[in-house]
Every structure is written in C-alpha cells, then in structure tokens.
Amino acid sequence: MNEKRAQAFALFDQYNAQSPETIVWQGNHYPSEVFYALQLHDWVRKLDPQASEALLLASRCQHIGRWEIARSTYPEGRVGYLKWRSDLAKHHAEVSSQLLAQAGYDETTIERVRQINLKQKVKTDPEVRTIENALCLVFLEFQYDDLIEKLGAEKMIDILRKTWAKMSEPGHQAALTLTYSAEGKRLIEEALQSE
C-alpha cells in the first residue's frame, strides 16, 4: 500500500473510531463504522482485485461519520428516509473530501472518490457497480440475519428483493456463497423464487 493511501486510511479510521456504536467480531471490539469500512474494503478487493486507487479509497470512507446525522431527525416514512439518505451521502462525500485533501490527494482523485461515494451513474459506471455490490454483500454477511428477528419475514423478503435488484451478476454470485442461518437461507430462496 502506498504511503498516501495508508495516511488516508488512518485518517478515515481515526474519524470513524468516534462512532458511538461498537461491534464484537471474532472476539475483537470495533467502533461499528470502522468495522463496516474494513469489510467494505475487503469486499471491493475480492470483487475487483485490480481496483483503482479511487475505488479503494471510496471503499474505506463510503459511510464515514454515519452516526452524525440521525435518522430520527427526519420525518417518518419513505420521503423522510430518502431525504436522510441523500443528506447523509453528501455528508460522507464532504468529510471524505476534506480528509483526502489532508492526506495530499489531488482534486481529480478527490472528485472521483466523491462520484463513487455518491453512487453517480450507478447503473453504468463499473466502479460504482462494484461499490454497490460490496455494500449489499456487507449487509448480507454482517447485518441481514440480525434484522430478521426485528423486522419479520415479510419485510425481510421485500428488503432482499430490493437488495438483489441493486446488485449485478458478480454480486449475486458472491451473495450465494455466503453462509446464512437456516431462516436467512429460507427467506433468500423465497425472495428469489418469486422474482
């Protein structure tokens, strides 16, 4: 890893270490946003072993500072949710741009990371497709099974269909290699059956 990227990753991790939520994974404690950034980076590298500098950087700052804009500060319902997501994406892009500049990256690289973070041209840009696949895979691997109990089967099937629709073929193939609980596997099969 080059020195500049290592510095950017250190700045991202330092910022995300402020996350108030923690995750215990294989006996280790992580601030949640540090953990998810590490997993997203790992998935991007698996999906694209030749990933560009900008894509690797984007994978470590995609949700930087996520806790700083709470969902509860927006109205209930879909409109409130979409506004929150939009504002959050802009916040991630702004924070990561500042940290990338601090690490010495040029404007061209910073703008490219911003485009990936904001998921511009999500259907046509291969790097944005990769980050979208990786985000879905992190959700399926680390969050999906926990959500089943909270949301119930019907809601989860709807979420699974939407998640599947966001992914391209490499994401689908990777998702089918993951290990799920018995209920998690059943719901995926049901969601895909009715597609």
Side-chain angles (χ1 to χ4, degrees):
M1 187 190 316
N2 66 53
E3 196 176 317
K4 204 187 289 187
R5 194 192 316 156
Q7 188 183 349
F9 282 5
L11 289 168
F12 296 157
D13 290 350
Q14 188 177 12
Y15 196 99
N16 271 335
Q18 300 169 71
S19 172
E21 292 182 15
T22 57
I23 285 179
V24 179
W25 181 253
Q26 296 178 339
N28 296 311
H29 292 257
Y30 300 86
S32 64
E33 294 311 326
V34 171
F35 177 79
Y36 290 126
L38 291 169
Q39 303 314 317
L40 186 63
H41 177 71
D42 193 40
W43 268 115
V44 163
R45 290 180 63 214
K46 286 178 194 168
L47 292 166
D48 183 0
Q50 306 303 315
S52 71
E53 184 77 1
L55 181 55
L56 291 171
L57 290 165
S59 73
R60 284 292 287 273
C61 63
Q62 180 69 27
H63 288 154
I64 196 161
R66 188 183 185 111
W67 67 92
E68 294 176 317
I69 301 179
R71 170 66 181 99
S72 59
T73 60
Y74 288 76
E76 286 297 314
R78 184 156 174 76
V79 173
Y81 173 77
L82 292 174
K83 174 73 172 127
W84 170 67
R85 288 291 302 268
S86 172
D87 289 351
L88 204 51
K90 289 173 193 161
H91 178 64
H92 300 323
E94 189 55 42
V95 171
S96 59
S97 293
Q98 290 171 7
L99 296 176
L100 287 166
Q102 197 177 324
Y105 278 94
D106 60 80
E107 204 45 57
T108 305
T109 305
I110 293 171
E111 182 53 34
R112 181 60 184 146
V113 172
R114 187 180 188 85
Q115 288 168 355
I116 297 168
N117 275 342
L118 293 171
K119 294 197 247 180
Q120 295 175 350
K121 300 180 182 169
V122 69
K123 295 294 182 191
T124 57
D125 184 323
E127 292 191 314
V128 180
R129 298 293 312 137
T130 298
I131 206 104
E132 186 71 86
N133 281 332
L135 284 162
C136 292
L137 289 162
V138 169
F139 163 70
L140 289 169
E141 186 173 12
F142 298 103
Q143 298 167 302
Y144 163 57
D145 271 320
D146 289 340
L147 267 186
I148 296 171
E149 275 183 49
K150 292 179 192 169
L151 300 179
E154 194 177 320
K155 181 71 176 160
M156 280 313 305
I157 287 170
D158 183 50
I159 289 170
L160 286 167
R161 286 184 187 137
K162 287 175 180 168
T163 301
W164 209 257
K166 288 180 183 179
M167 289 190 285
S168 59
E169 194 52 35
H172 295 157
Q173 288 175 8
L176 294 173
T177 69
L178 296 175
T179 304
Y180 302 103
S181 66
E183 178 66 355
K185 190 175 181 190
R186 184 187 73 76
L187 292 177
I188 287 174
E189 286 168 357
E190 191 174 331
L192 296 184
Q193 220 169 35
S194 49
E195 272 294 279

